[in-house]
C-alpha cells in the first residue's frame, strides 16, 4: 500500500518536532548552568511551542493524507458500483449453446408420523430418526432409543 505525500510529509514534520523538543531538553539543561537564566527560559518556551506546533501539524497532515487516500478509495468504489450497466448483446441463434436436459426429480422421502406413549406417567414421542423425546422433571430430553429413555426414568 503506497502512502501519499501528505502522510509522509506529516510524519516527517512530527518527527522533526519531536527531535527539536528532545534536543531542547538537553541543550537547555547545559545552557542553564552557564548563567543567563531569563534569556534561556524565554527561548526555551518559544522552542517548546514551535516543536509542539510542528508535532501537531505533522500529525494533522498525516491524518489528512490517510483520510484523503481512504475517501479516494471509497469514491472509486462508488464509481464502480454506480457505473451504468454494461449491455450484453444476445448471441446469434447459430452460436447459442444447446440447452441441457432437465435434471431428474429427487426422490420423495416420506416421514412417518411420530409414535407417542407414556413411561411411568412421563409422555414420550418416538421421532422419525428413531430417537425418543421424553418429558422429564428436568424438562424435555432426547434419548437415542426407547430403552435408554426407560433406563433414565427408572
Amino acid at each position: 500500500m503506497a502512502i501519499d505525500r501528505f502522510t509522509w510529509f506529516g510524519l516527517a514534520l512530527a518527527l522533526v518536532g519531536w527531535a527539536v523538543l528532545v534536543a531542547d531538553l538537553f541543550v537547555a539543561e547545559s545552557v542553564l548552568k552557564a548563567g543567563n537564566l531569563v534569556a534561556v527560559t524565554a527561548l526555551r518556551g518559544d522552542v517548546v511551542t514551535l516543536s509542539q506546533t510542528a508535532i501537531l501539524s505533522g500529525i494533522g497532515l498525516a491524518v489528512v493524507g490517510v483520510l484523503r487516500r481512504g475517501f479516494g478509495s471509497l469514491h472509486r468504489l462508488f464509481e464502480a458500483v454506480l457505473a451504468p450497466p454494461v449491455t450484453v448483446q444476445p448471441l446469434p441463434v447459430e452460436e447459442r449453446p444447446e440447452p441441457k436436459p432437465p435434471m431428474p426429480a429427487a426422490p420423495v422421502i416420506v416421514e412417518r408420523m411420530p409414535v407417542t406413549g407414556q413411561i411411568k406417567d412421563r409422555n414420550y414421542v418416538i421421532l422419525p430418526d428413531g430417537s425418543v423425546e421424553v418429558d422429564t422433571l428436568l424438562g424435555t430430553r432426547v434419548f437415542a432409543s426407547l430403552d435408554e429413555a426407560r433406563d433414565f426414568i427408572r
Side-chain angles (χ1 to χ4, degrees):
M1 181 173 101
I3 298 176
D4 71 355
R5 291 176 290 151
F6 281 124
T7 306
W8 278 118
F9 184 71
L11 293 175
L13 186 61
L15 184 65
V16 167
W18 278 108
V20 169
L21 189 62
V22 170
D24 178 58
L25 289 174
F26 292 117
V27 170
E29 292 298 324
S30 64
V31 174
L32 279 176
K33 294 177 185 173
N36 203 359
L37 182 61
V38 174
V40 170
T41 305
L43 179 63
R44 185 168 187 211
D46 292 340
V47 170
V48 168
T49 302
L50 178 67
S51 61
Q52 289 173 346
T53 303
I55 292 169
L56 290 176
S57 298
I59 291 172
L61 282 174
V63 167
V64 165
V66 167
L67 288 176
R68 187 171 155 221
R69 181 167 179 82
F71 285 126
S73 298
L74 188 64
H75 180 69
R76 287 189 298 276
L77 172 72
F78 284 141
E79 282 180 347
V81 168
L82 299 176
V86 177
T87 56
V88 178
Q89 299 294 328
L91 292 174
V93 175
E94 55 274 351
E95 292 182 19
R96 290 185 186 166
E98 292 186 25
K100 295 180 182 176
M103 297 290 292
V108 178
I109 299 174
V110 178
E111 291 190 18
R112 299 179 305 182
M113 294 297 294
V115 178
T116 60
Q118 284 190 340
I119 303 173
K120 289 196 177 188
D121 299 328
R122 302 280 175 222
N123 295 327
Y124 72 87
V125 176
I126 299 177
L127 301 174
D129 65 350
S131 60
V132 179
E133 193 174 83
V134 180
D135 294 329
T136 66
L137 295 173
L138 304 172
T140 304
R141 295 198 50 175
V142 178
F143 298 95
S145 68
L146 189 58
D147 293 331
E148 284 185 23
R150 284 188 181 124
D151 289 341
F152 180 78
I153 292 177
R154 288 182 195 176

